[in-house]
Amino acid sequence: MENLGVVLALFGAAFAALFAGIGSSIGVGKAGQAAAGVVAQDQTMFGKVLVLQLLPGTQGIYGLLVAFITLTQIGILGGDPNISVAKGALYLAACLPIAFVGLMSGKYQGECSIASIMLVAKQPDQFGKAMIFPAMVETYAVLALLVSILSVNAVGGLQI
């Protein structure tokens, strides 16, 4: 197959957006359920619990960013979409860190957000502390984002 390199790279871009997006949707969805329960009891809590609900959504953005960078580099969003199988496989591998870490960290950040929403529901003055718990999970999504971006850019510079 003469286009196998592009197909492999497209799988990488799709995995980055798909799996990180799934993780975010699970996390945001679960946190949203908890937030809705809190707001049903006290409407003044809406702003605080909304911020906590939104935190797991960043993984989906990170996956989308890596997908766009990959699509740009492989010529799908402009340029010549003619890359070797080896380079396509490297693009696929470069997209996997954010794909899988985004999936898991989005899910677990959602669970931390739920706990933080419950904390804020019981003690609204603890909002600053409550933000730290889900933010710690974000650290690993950011690290995976950096690895994927650096890897995709490195693959783009290879002559294979």
Side-chain angles (χ1 to χ4, degrees), residues 91-114:
Y91 276 118
L92 171 59
C95 292
L96 293 180
I98 193 57
F100 290 111
V101 175
L103 172 66
M104 298 309 294
S105 66
K107 178 182 181 295
Y108 289 116
Q109 191 174 32
E111 292 178 11
C112 286
S113 290
I114 291 167

Side-chain angles (χ1 to χ4, degrees), residues 27-142:
V28 170
K30 287 182 175 184
Q33 291 171 351
V38 170
V39 172
Q41 295 296 314
D42 182 357
Q43 294 180 9
T44 65
M45 298 297 294
F46 176 76
K48 289 182 178 181
V49 298
L50 178 64
V51 170
L52 291 166
Q53 181 204 359
L54 294 175
L55 286 174
T58 55
Q59 284 81 348
I61 296 168
Y62 299 161
L64 188 62
L65 176 63
V66 169
F68 280 146
I69 293 169
T70 303
L71 293 173
T72 301
Q73 289 212 4
I74 65 172
I76 298 299
L77 295 178
D80 180 24
N82 187 16
I83 61 172
S84 69
V85 174
K87 198 167 188 176
L90 289 171
Y91 276 118
L92 171 59
C95 292
L96 293 180
I98 193 57
F100 290 111
V101 175
L103 172 66
M104 298 309 294
S105 66
K107 178 182 181 295
Y108 289 116
Q109 191 174 32
E111 292 178 11
C112 286
S113 290
I114 291 167
S116 292
I117 288 167
M118 296 298 104
L119 170 59
V120 169
K122 292 178 182 178
Q123 297 180 29
D125 62 319
Q126 298 300 309
F127 176 73
K129 291 177 185 173
M131 286 281 296
I132 293 171
F133 301 124
M136 294 304 296
V137 181
E138 183 81 18
T139 303
Y140 298 96
V142 170

